[in-house]
């Protein structure tokens, strides 16, 4: 997943290995953060959410972890949006780290549709709005062409 490479790199692994065991043992929050990193680099999407929820973060760290979790959910939604045309509720819930009900509500708010018979979600691709750059030369040629047609 683009943007997460920093945590998945060899540098992160070497950094972890260079931390003395005594520090790791005395800093459970550091170990919990490392578990998130491990889940990211193995692409265990549901495991990332489990690692986030599986630790009682300090108040200072909770803000950072909550922001990361929200950003990660948005990135996972973008991944689903680009990779699927239909997806089961169960799979979507796993990717988004939510219950099936919460995941269904989340994606329905984004314009997806739900088929209760098959328990499948249909992805609603967002229209890509591309900004066109106006080339003054092209505009001039178009103006001259239209002028030529009228006269």
């Amino acid at each position: 997943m683009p943007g997460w490479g920093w945590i998945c790199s060899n540098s992160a692994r070497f950094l972890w290995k260079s931390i003395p065991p005594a520090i790791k043992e005395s800093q459970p929050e550091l170990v919990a953060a490392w578990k998130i990193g491990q889940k990211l680099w193995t692409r265990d999407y549901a495991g990332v959410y489990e690692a986030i929820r599986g630790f009682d973060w300090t108040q200072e760290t909770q803000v950072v972890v909550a922001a990361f979790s929200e950003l990660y959910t948005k990135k996972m939604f973008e991944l689903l949006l680009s990779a699927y045309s239909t997806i089961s509720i169960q799979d979507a819930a796993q990717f988004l780290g939510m219950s099936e009900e919460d995941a269904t509500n989340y994606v329905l708010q984004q314009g997806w549709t739900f088929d209760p018979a098959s328990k499948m979600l249909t992805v609603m691709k967002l229209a890509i709005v591309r900004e066109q750059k106006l080339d003054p030369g092209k505009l001039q040629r178009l103006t001259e062409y239209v002028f030529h047609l009228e006269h």
Side-chain angles (χ1 to χ4, degrees):
M1 215 164 78
W4 301 109
W6 59 272
I7 195 75
C8 303
S9 70
N10 284 333
S11 298
R13 289 183 231 172
F14 290 131
L15 175 63
W16 179 253
K17 288 180 180 181
S18 70
I19 298 173
I23 291 179
K24 292 177 190 175
E25 291 170 10
S26 68
Q27 300 292 324
E29 201 162 59
L30 178 64
V31 175
W34 178 242
K35 284 182 185 176
I36 295 171
Q38 288 174 311
K39 300 298 181 182
L40 286 170
W41 120 55
T42 60
R43 296 189 175 158
D44 179 359
Y45 305 116
V48 171
Y49 295 108
E50 290 169 10
I52 290 170
R53 291 188 199 109
F55 188 79
D56 187 21
W57 303 95
T58 61
Q59 190 173 8
E60 299 84 20
T61 310
Q62 178 60 39
V63 174
V64 174
V65 172
F68 169 80
S69 181
E70 184 178 327
L71 177 64
Y72 185 71
T73 299
K74 287 179 182 177
K75 292 288 185 185
M76 293 309 300
F77 179 76
E78 290 171 9
L79 176 68
L80 296 179
L81 194 59
S82 66
Y84 292 89
S85 57
T86 58
I87 186 170
S88 71
I89 293 173
Q90 182 180 7
D91 289 344
Q94 233 182 350
F95 276 104
L96 297 172
M98 301 176 184
S99 69
E100 290 184 13
E101 182 180 346
D102 289 344
T104 302
N105 290 333
Y106 183 85
V107 299
L108 288 176
Q109 289 175 0
Q110 306 300 321
W112 294 19
T113 57
F114 170 60
D115 177 17
S118 64
K119 290 195 163 194
M120 295 294 286
L121 296 162
T122 301
V123 176
M124 176 59 72
K125 305 283 184 185
L126 299 174
I128 298 173
V129 178
R130 297 192 189 265
E131 204 175 296
Q132 294 185 1
K133 297 188 182 199
L134 188 57
D135 179 9
K138 288 181 181 177
L139 183 58
Q140 179 64 35
R141 286 192 299 275
L142 179 61
T143 303
E144 290 170 3
Y145 181 71
V146 171
F147 179 78
H148 175 71
L149 290 175
E150 291 179 349
H151 296 100

